[in-house]
C-alpha cells in the first residue's frame, strides 16, 4: 500500500449548479478531482472522502440528511473508501481523519475539493502542521466570489490568493494533469 492518501473535501451537491450554495467552476473542479481520485486508486493510495454537515438546521446549506449534503456523483466513493462527516471547517477537527491516516502509515496527502478559501485552506494547513507532506491540486478545487467591506472579490482572485498562500508555506500546489502525469507522484 502507498504511503499517500488523497482527501476529497466537500464535493457535495449544494456546491453544484442548482444547489443551495453553488461555487464558480465546481463542475470542472469535480471532474479534475475525479481524474485525481481515479489515478490515486490506480496507484494504490488511500482515498478519504470528507463531507460537511452543519449541526445547526439554520445553516444556509449542507443540512443533515438533505440531498445537498450528499457527495456528488462526480466524485462518489467507490468500494470501501472511507467517508467521514465533519461539522467544522477543518476536516481534522473532531473527526478520525488523523487517526485513519496514521493507522495507514500515511506520510503524504493530496487534497482536492471545496471551498478553496475555507475547508481546503483549513485541511491543508492542518495536514502540514501535523507533519504530512501536503499537495493541493488547484484545478480540482473551487470557490466563489467573496465580499469584504463593500468590495466584491471575484472567485478567480479568491482562489489564486488562497493557492498562492498555501504554496508559499504549506503545500506543493499543482494541477491535475501535472500530478497525474508525474511518475514521481506514483
Amino acid at each position: 500500500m502507498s504511503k499517500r492518501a488523497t482527501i476529497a473535501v466537500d464535493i457535495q451537491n449544494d456546491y453544484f449548479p442548482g444547489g443551495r450554495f453553488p461555487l464558480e467552476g465546481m463542475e470542472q473542479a469535480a471532474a479534475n478531482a475525479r481524474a485525481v481520485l481515479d489515478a490515486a486508486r490506480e496507484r494504490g493510495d488511500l482515498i478519504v472522502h470528507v463531507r460537511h454537515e452543519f449541526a445547526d438546521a439554520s445553516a444556509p446549506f449542507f443540512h443533515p440528511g438533505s440531498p445537498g449534503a450528499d457527495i456528488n456523483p462526480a466524485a462518489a466513493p467507490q468500494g470501501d473508501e472511507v467517508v467521514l462527516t465533519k461539522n467544522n471547517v477543518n476536516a481534522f477537527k473532531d473527526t478520525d481523519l488523523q487517526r485513519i491516516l496514521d493507522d495507514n502509515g500515511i506520510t503524504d496527502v493530496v487534497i482536492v475539493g471545496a471551498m478553496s478559501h475555507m475547508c481546503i485552506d483549513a485541511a491543508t494547513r492542518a495536514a502540514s502542521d501535523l507533519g504530512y507532506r501536503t499537495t493541493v491540486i488547484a484545478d480540482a478545487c473551487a470557490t466563489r466570489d467573496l465580499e469584504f467591506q463593500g468590495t466584491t472579490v471575484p472567485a478567480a482572485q479568491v482562489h489564486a490568493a488562497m493557492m498562492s498562500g498555501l504554496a508559499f508555506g504549506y503545500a506543493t500546489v499543482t494541477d491535475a494533469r501535472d500530478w497525474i502525469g508525474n511518475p514521481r507522484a506514483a
Side-chain angles (χ1 to χ4, degrees):
M1 182 95 169
S2 166
K3 298 276 185 202
R4 184 177 42 240
T6 298
I7 304 170
V9 179
D10 300 353
I11 305 178
Q12 295 168 252
N13 291 330
D14 272 344
Y15 281 157
F16 285 78
R20 298 182 118 196
F21 208 75
L23 305 183
E24 185 173 307
M26 188 62 194
E27 290 171 304
Q28 184 61 54
N32 292 337
R34 174 61 181 264
V36 168
L37 289 167
D38 288 344
R41 289 175 181 119
E42 288 177 20
R43 294 173 179 170
D45 295 354
L46 177 70
I47 307 291
V48 179
H49 299 268
V50 178
R51 55 183 294 283
H52 196 147
E53 281 190 356
F54 286 103
D56 183 350
S58 68
F61 54 97
F62 294 161
H63 295 154
S66 73
D70 291 341
I71 294 174
N72 187 272
Q78 295 182 7
D80 62 353
E81 291 174 350
V82 176
V83 178
L84 292 177
T85 299
K86 65 181 175 84
N87 302 118
N88 298 291
V89 171
N90 182 344
F92 287 90
K93 184 176 181 190
D94 299 329
T95 71
D96 288 332
L97 182 55
Q98 183 179 4
R99 182 194 56 75
I100 290 166
L101 297 177
D102 291 348
D103 286 355
N104 284 279
I106 300 300
T107 59
D108 296 62
V109 298
V110 176
I111 298 175
V112 299
M115 291 187 286
S116 305
H117 70 281
M118 292 293 293
C119 300
I120 297 303
D121 180 57
T124 301
R125 291 173 188 259
S128 178
D129 288 346
L130 291 168
Y132 301 105
R133 221 174 356 252
T134 306
T135 300
V136 176
I137 310 299
D139 63 350
C141 298
T143 193
R144 65 189 330 231
D145 293 353
L146 295 179
E147 187 274 328
F148 183 71
Q149 296 182 345
T151 299
T152 298
V153 183
Q157 291 179 10
V158 172
H159 183 71
M162 296 315 303
M163 295 300 117
S164 65
L166 293 174
F168 184 78
Y170 287 94
T172 298
V173 178
T174 189
D175 64 30
R177 189 172 130 194
D178 286 346
W179 185 82
I180 291 167
N182 180 355
R184 293 187 333 179

